[in-house]
Structure formats: structure tokens, C-alpha cells
Amino acid sequence: MTTDVRASRQDAPGLLLTAAEVFLTLRAADEVQAWRVRELADAPGRIAAALDEDHDAGSGSDVPGRAGSPDRDHAAPVGPIGERALGVAPVLGELSAGQLRALADTSDPAIVTPWRTIVLPSPAPGARDALRAGGLVVDPDHPALGVSACAGRPGCAKAHADVRADARALLELGVTTTAHVVGCERRCGAPHGPHTDVVARPDGRYAIDGTPVPDLLTALARTQP
């Protein structure tokens, strides 16, 4: 869900904070307990209008300009980029301390992108093999690039399952389906493109695209070519 508002790199943090404050103001005005933007009526338009008003009131920043929706088909790639750069992705968006050290040892600087990937403009020789050995994704056809998950248990009190452990089990099984695994019907973090909808139910089992299944790993394994 996008407001179609753009900001310069230096102004983006301030704009995000202002947008969050606007969301809280709208939620209070609507007298609802919305947790996400999509739970408010016409939230993108109302937030964008409030940001425009704040800018017109003389905030002094060269921020928001209207533009088309971000081009999600041109996300930063994983694997070799051009002659030198390398795109890297952490599995399920998680980076361990060891992986952070490995990134720091293989490239300076490292650029974090909005697509949960990292671009290394000038990686050291052997960086790709070293990062792959450290559990990072450096190959564009890696199945982990198609699997995502919400926080799940124990990080979220509303989750009915440890979805990140289950998503990793899918990857270990070799499942290549593009899937988003979530702990409840809110479906936090769901990708915008086509994907298999995997939702934990109150009994701890899952539904795949709305159909309950007795065992997630068996059900998805059967869908593999």
C-alpha cells in the first residue's frame, strides 16, 4: 500500500516519522484500534494529503514530491551486478552477527536496499564464495528468494506458529514455491506479487491459499515439479 510520495535520501527518515505520526492521528480521529495502514479507510490518500499540507506549511524540507508507484519489478538483483558489484540477500531478511562481520570484511561500503537485499559495490576477491558459505544468498535462482515470513512466534503474541522455523524447514526440504508464511490472518509483510498464501490457524496447522492442510511440509512438497 503506497502513498505515491517520494523523498530525497536525506529527508526520508524524517518523512517516515511524520507519516507514522499522521497514521496515529488518523487512527485517533477515526476512533479505531487499527494496527496497520490498510485498516484505515483511504489511509494512503489521507496520509499523502497530510504530508503535502505539512510541506506546504513551510517545513523547510525539499521533500515530498508525487510520483508513480515504486517500480517493484526492478528490485536490486541478487548475484553479480555489472562488472564488479554483488547483490546479496539474507534468508528471510535475517542477518546474524557473523554475517554482518562477513559483509564488513568483504566490502566497504555495503548498500542496504528497500528490497531486503544488500549491494556490495566493490567486494573483495572470493567474497561471493565466502558469503555463500556464511549462509547468505548470492545466487539469483536460490529458492530462499521466493520464501518470506512474518515475525511469528515467539516474536508476535498474535501468531499461532513459529512461522520462521517452518519457512526454513520448507527451504531445507527444497521447496521452490514462491510463498509467504504468516502466523495469523493479518498476513503481515505479504509481498505484492503472486505468491502462495500460507497462513497459520489457531490450532497451529496451516491453510494454503485458504485450504486447511494437515501437514504443511507434505502439502507444499506435493506441489513441486
Side-chain angles (χ1 to χ4, degrees), residues 197-224:
D197 188 45
V198 183
V199 182
R201 304 166 63 202
D203 62 3
R205 297 183 179 182
Y206 285 90
I208 299 177
D209 289 334
T211 301
V213 296
D215 181 77
L216 175 63
L217 299 184
T218 301
L220 280 184
R222 288 173 178 168
T223 68
Q224 300 304 293

Side-chain angles (χ1 to χ4, degrees), residues 152-169:
R153 286 183 176 175
C156 177
K158 293 184 179 294
H160 301 307
D162 185 348
V163 298
R164 301 186 82 79
D166 292 335
R168 288 182 181 276

